[in-house]
Amino acid sequence: MSEVHFWPTLVGVVALTPDAFGFSFCANATEIGKLRADLEAGVPMGQAVGFSGSACGLKDLVRVESKQGSPTIVVVAREFLGKAKEGFTFRRQADREAFYETLLQLLGPRWKCEEATRGNCLLTLLPIGVVLFGMFNMFCGGMLLSLPPDPNPKPGVEPMPVGVMWGIAAFGLLVAGLGIAGFFLARKIGSTTWETICPR
C-alpha cells in the first residue's frame, strides 16, 4: 500500500505520494475515497486524478512557493499538463502548512524551504514618479529665479512675482520630500515574504 496524503482545497483535493503531486476536482467523499484507494493501490497519479485534474512527478518539480500566511500555493514543474505552473488554494491555512511540511519530508534533504522578501514594483515606481515631478518643479522655480529681469518689458505684460517663483520651487521641494518618504513607506508596506520550497 502506497503512502498517500490529502488536503481539501476550495474546488477539490491536493494529493501527495512519495513520488508525485496531484490535484483532483473531487466533489464528494465517495470520489475522494476512490482516489485514495487508487493511489494506495499504486495507480499512477496522472491516471488517478483523470484528465480534468493535474499531476506531476516529484522528480519534475521545480519549486513550490506561497506568500507567508496565505493558503494559496503555486506549483512550478517541468511537466505539468503543458503549463509551467498552477495555483491551488487550501481551505485552511493549517492545511497549507501541513502540505509544506509533508512535501519537504517526501523530497528529502536535497530540498529546503527558504524565505525571501519581495517588493511591489508598482508601489515602488509611484513614489519615484512623485519625486521626479517635485524635482521638475524645483528646477522650473530655480530657472525662473535665475533669469535676469527683462530689460525691455512689453507694455501691459506684468512679470511673474518673485514670490510665485519661490512658491513653485518650494512646492517642488515639498512634493519631492513627500515622494522620498513615500518610497520608503511603499517598500515597507509593499514587501511580501514568500516561502519557497526549492533544491539546495
Side-chain angles (χ1 to χ4, degrees):
M1 182 180 293
S2 179
E3 177 185 358
V4 179
H5 303 272
F6 281 97
W7 295 274
T9 68
L10 295 181
V11 292
V13 294
V14 159
L16 272 182
T17 65
D19 59 0
F21 165 88
F23 167 79
S24 176
F25 289 98
C26 292
N28 51 54
T30 302
E31 293 180 357
I32 295 174
K34 182 180 183 307
L35 178 61
R36 179 183 293 276
D38 288 345
L39 292 173
E40 289 178 346
V43 176
M45 182 70 76
Q47 181 180 340
V49 299
F51 292 108
S52 62
S54 303
C56 71
L58 295 189
K59 61 181 176 57
D60 295 319
L61 193 66
V62 176
R63 68 179 181 276
V64 177
E65 56 188 9
S66 175
K67 293 180 182 178
Q68 193 175 60
S70 170
T72 300
I73 62 171
V74 176
V75 180
V76 182
R78 283 183 287 272
E79 295 294 335
F80 210 6
L81 295 178
K83 294 184 287 185
K85 61 183 179 180
E86 284 202 43
F88 308 93
T89 301
F90 294 94
R91 290 185 183 175
R92 301 185 308 146
Q93 177 65 27
D95 290 338
R96 199 279 278 180
E97 305 294 342
F99 168 81
Y100 257 48
E101 182 179 345
T102 305
L103 179 60
L104 276 171
Q105 292 175 356
L106 294 176
L107 289 171
R110 294 185 178 181
W111 289 69
K112 64 179 179 178
C113 181
E114 65 178 15
E115 295 184 359
T117 301
R118 305 177 192 172
N120 187 313
C121 293
L122 182 60
L123 286 178
T124 303
L125 291 175
L126 185 60
I128 292 175
V130 173
V131 171
L132 293 175
F133 176 72
M135 292 179 67
F136 174 75
N137 279 271
M138 289 172 60
F139 175 77
C140 290
M143 286 291 293
L144 290 172
L145 286 168
S146 65
L147 290 175
D150 190 353
N152 300 308
K154 295 180 180 180
V157 177
E158 292 290 332
M160 182 180 292
V162 175
V164 174
M165 300 179 192
W166 278 107
I168 294 174
F171 173 74
L173 179 62
L174 175 63
V175 171
L178 291 174
I180 292 172
F183 174 78
F184 290 105
L185 183 63
R187 287 190 63 182
K188 183 177 180 180
I189 295 176
S191 61
T192 304
T193 300
W194 286 76
E195 297 174 338
T196 304
I197 295 177
C198 56
R200 292 185 184 276

